[in-house]
Structure formats: structure tokens, C-alpha cells
Amino acid sequence: MPQAYPSSRVTSIDILRGLVMVIMALDHTRDFVHIDAMRQDPLDLQTTTGVLFFTRWITHFCAPIFLLLSGISAGISGQRHSLSEKSTMLIKRGLWLLLIEVVVMALGLSFDLSYGTIFFQVIWAIGGSMIFLGLILRLSTKLVLPMALILILGHDLLTYLPPIKDPLGNGIIQLLFLARFYIIPLAPGHVIAAFYPVLPWAGIMLLGYAISAWFRPEFDVAKRRSLLLRSGTVAIALFIILRLVNHYGDPRPWSVQDSPFKTFLSFINVSKYPPSLLYTCITVGTGLLFLAATEKVNNWWSRILTVYGKVPFFYYIPHFYLIHAVGVIIFFAQGYTLAQAADPNLPFMFRRVDMGLSLGYTYLIWIAVVAALYLPCKWYASYKQTHRDQWWTRYI
């Protein structure tokens, strides 16, 4: 008979993680379903609409908050282990995620059995960040917070440096710090497409690890809430101040547009690739405030989100395959043939530049995908809770 283990989980973490997992699926659904996803930048103020802009912009919160929560979870789960054991666990987990990114996620994104394109995206960033955190812990835990602040606050200084002409040196800098759709040729017809440079994202995970002590069971709840409120407020204030100065913190300065609404959009339109200081401030700051606000929340919507938040990895991979499968159905339903499965302008099979549905249908499909994964996630959350003695559940 499986044993049910007592849990000391902080519910607000699961609520926030579940929320970002649900929102994340919206952006991925848009990629594979929305008719304009492959031919229009939703953040381009000259061509976008308010609804389309925020459909994309709101998903900017997902990756940094997930990295932050991963760091917090790493600190909480490792408190019963020695520093050496925590380091080894993080490095092994990181290597596992890198393998998943290359083998499983590349196929889910492209449906290309030849693996013509291997994507270095958020799983790559999380895995690399875990390895980096594990290596830092081997040196000293006192380095975690200073290193986090250096990476977050100082990352944008690199934009002022001249380009590196040496291909190898440039490739290393791109993968570690600056990658924005950076292409690495492997062989004819095979490339790596790097979207997430490791170290700026690692800074966010290290920050999460540095504040993980606030979420331990013995930590005073009122004090935790106060620290979260103050930290989140400082981050948002720093975003506003630096954005108004408009000289440092983001490579994309804001500008006055032809309407107050578009000017506001320009002001909040900060850079994710790579994550700028201002991008990190507004997303992580909001996440900290959310954690403070949901400290004692317990209602129907929080319980639904918690289901997804408890098993993010189990949710993440199937949701990509399910969304892409829906895209395949749309592909054939709109009259395309198997001979047209590969669009020369895209790395995705069964995704043409000119195919897709309206934004309204995109939202409906997003809701359906999230709903379809609810019961499987609920089952696995229960299974994981009662089978903690099975080592493989720590990796899924």
C-alpha cells in the first residue's frame, strides 16, 4: 500500500507556478495555431492590436518566474542534504534537462524525425542554470546572492562591448550571455537554434535560491510576506525609475507614440531575448508581490492552479505535443497535403506561414488544451505524493 507523506509545501509557490504554466500554454498555442503567428510580431507597435500585444506580453512573465521558483524549490528541497549532495543533485538534474531539451523537446517543437533543428529554449536555460548553481554551491553558498545580483544588474553592460570577431569566442559569449535566435550550424540540414543564453537566466535562479530560506516551514509567515512585499516593490520601483531614465537596463528604449495607449505599450515593452535588467525587474518583481498576496489564498481557482504547479515537468512536455498535434489537425483541415508538411521558411513540420485560425479560436484551443491536461496532472500529483520512495519521480 503506497504511503502518503506529509507535505510542507508553501501553497503560494504551487499557485504561482501553476499560473505561469497555464499562461505559458497560451503563447505556445499562438505559435502553432494563430494565423499571424509566423508572419507578424505581436509586440510590433506599428502592426499589433492591444489584445494581440498583451496575448504575447503576458507570457513574458512565465520563464523568469519559473526560474525564480525553481531556485526557491532547489533551496527548500535541498535543506535536508549536505552541500555536496545538493550540488550533485542540481548538476544531475541539469544534465537530465539538457538531454530532454535535445531529444524530447526538439521533436515536440518540430515534429521533424530528422532533428533538423535542435532548440535551446527554456528547458536548456533551466538545465544550464541548475548546473551553474550546483557548481557555485561547490565553491561557497556565500557566492549565490552576489553572483545573482552581478548577473541580473550587470548583464546589460555587455551590450556596450564591441562585437567579438573570433567565431568560437563569439559563440561562447552568445550561448552564455547574449543569444537571441543564434544559429549554430552542425551539419548540412542540421542546426542549433539558441534562444536562451544560460547565465542571465541563471542569475534569476540563483536569486530564487538565495531567498529560499524565507519559504522554509519554520520561517515566520508574516515576516516572509513582508520581505516579499518589500522586495517586489523595490524591483518594480527600479523598473519604473530606470525605464523613465531610458539609458540603461534594456536595449530597446521606449518612445512617445501616436497615442497614449501605444506610448504605454512602448514603455512596458522590454526585452526577453536576452532577458534585460528591466525585463527581470518587472517580471520577478510582480512574481514576488504575487507570492505575498497568495500566502493564505485557498479557493477553487487556487486549487486548480496548484494541480498544475505541483507537476510542472509532467505538464510541460505533453502540452507541447498536444498543441502541435492540434496544429497538425488544422493543417490538414485547411487543405494542405503531406507534401506541404515542410515549410522552407519554418523549422516546424505541419506549420505553414499562411495557415492558422483567428485569435479567438486560438484562445478556445488554449483553454481546451489546459483543461485536457488537468486530470492527468491531478493523477500524477497524487501518485508522486504517495510514491516519493521511487527515485524517478524526482525527475518528472
Side-chain angles (χ1 to χ4, degrees):
M1 181 77 176
Q3 178 182 357
Y5 294 82
S7 176
S8 58
R9 299 178 74 99
V10 177
T11 306
S12 58
I13 293 177
D14 289 329
I15 295 172
L16 180 54
R17 186 187 287 117
L19 179 61
V20 299
M21 298 304 292
V22 169
I23 294 174
M24 183 186 300
L26 173 59
D27 196 43
H28 301 152
T29 305
R30 184 186 62 81
D31 283 337
F32 286 103
V33 171
H34 187 222
I35 190 167
D36 290 326
M38 296 297 147
R39 58 188 181 187
Q40 177 186 357
D41 179 2
L43 300 179
D44 185 347
L45 299 184
Q46 305 308 311
T47 59
T48 194
T49 63
V51 174
L52 182 58
F53 179 94
F54 282 106
T55 298
R56 171 57 176 157
W57 183 84
I58 192 64
T59 65
H60 276 3
F61 288 77
C62 299
I65 291 177
F66 195 86
L67 265 291
L68 179 79
L69 298 180
S70 295
I72 293 173
S73 297
I76 296 173
S77 63
Q79 62 184 307
R80 294 186 298 272
H81 301 276
S82 69
L83 205 58
S84 176
E85 290 173 332
K86 285 192 286 187
S87 172
T88 300
M89 288 168 58
L90 284 165
I91 292 172
K92 288 169 62 177
R93 174 76 172 178
L95 291 172
W96 163 248
L97 291 177
L98 296 185
L99 178 65
I100 291 296
E101 183 77 299
V102 171
V103 177
V104 180
M105 289 309 305
L107 182 60
L109 279 165
S110 67
F111 275 16
D112 178 7
L113 294 176
S114 71
Y115 285 85
T117 302
I118 294 174
F119 303 89
F120 282 0
Q121 295 204 106
V122 69
I123 297 295
W124 148 266
I126 296 171
S129 297
M130 285 185 173
I131 294 171
F132 184 73
L133 174 57
L135 294 175
I136 292 293
L137 292 181
R138 287 184 181 271
L139 298 176
S140 172
T141 55
K142 295 180 179 178
L143 292 174
V144 174
L145 182 57
M147 184 62 68
L149 295 177
I150 289 171
L151 290 172
I152 292 171
L153 297 174
H155 170 258
D156 287 279
L157 291 172
L158 295 175
T159 61
Y160 294 95
L161 298 178
I164 297 176
K165 296 181 180 179
D166 174 58
L168 178 59
N170 179 61
I172 293 173
I173 291 297
Q174 290 289 333
L175 287 177
L176 292 182
F177 291 102
L178 298 175
R180 173 183 169 85
F181 314 123
Y182 181 64
I183 303 299
I184 305 173
L186 297 177
H190 296 271
V191 300
I192 291 174
F195 296 84
Y196 283 67
V198 171
L199 292 183
W201 296 102
I204 299 175
M205 181 177 286
L206 266 63
L207 179 64
Y209 188 90
I211 68 172
S212 63
W214 301 354
F215 295 88
R216 291 179 179 175
E218 66 273 15
F219 200 87
D220 181 71
V221 173
K223 185 177 180 181
R224 172 167 66 230
R225 188 169 184 273
S226 175
L227 288 169
L228 289 169
L229 283 171
R230 282 185 283 171
S231 301
T233 301
V234 167
I236 298 296
L238 182 60
F239 164 79
I240 295 172
I241 293 169
L242 288 179
R243 198 58 168 160
L244 287 172
V245 173
N246 214 22
H247 283 296
Y248 181 77
D250 197 276
R252 180 189 298 161
W254 69 278
S255 60
V256 176
Q257 303 293 310
D258 57 11
S259 71
F261 178 65
K262 283 191 175 181
T263 299
F264 171 70
L265 297 187
S266 178
F267 189 83
I268 64 173
N269 188 18
V270 285
S271 300
K272 178 181 179 180
Y273 303 104
S276 69
L277 168 59
L278 296 185
Y279 168 88
T280 301
C281 283
I282 192 173
T283 55
V284 171
T286 302
L288 294 173
L289 294 177
F290 186 95
L291 286 171
T294 56
E295 180 69 52
K296 297 181 179 180
V297 170
N298 182 17
N299 51 37
W300 66 269
W301 66 265
S302 68
R303 290 190 289 271
I304 290 173
L305 293 176
T306 297
V307 169
Y308 300 109
K310 286 182 177 179
V311 290
F313 190 71
F314 181 84
Y315 167 95
Y316 185 80
I317 293 178
H319 102 281
F320 257 113
Y321 278 82
L322 182 55
I323 291 169
H324 202 160
V326 171
V328 174
I329 295 172
I330 296 171
F331 173 87
F332 286 111
Q334 293 191 336
Y336 296 98
T337 65
L338 192 59
Q340 298 172 295
D343 188 318
N345 300 303
L346 298 175
F348 314 113
M349 300 291 288
F350 305 102
R351 181 53 165 125
R352 308 290 298 187
V353 170
D354 54 352
M355 66 160 273
L357 304 175
S358 69
L359 194 59
Y361 281 114
T362 300
Y363 269 83
L364 290 175
I365 292 172
W366 162 58
I367 294 170
V369 166
V370 172
L373 291 172
Y374 177 78
L375 289 180
C377 288
K378 187 175 183 179
W379 167 81
Y380 185 66
S382 176
Y383 181 89
K384 194 172 183 179
Q385 175 69 17
T386 56
H387 293 78
R388 291 187 187 178
D389 54 332
Q390 298 190 18
W391 65 268
W392 60 270
T393 60
R394 296 196 301 267
Y395 293 87
I396 298 179

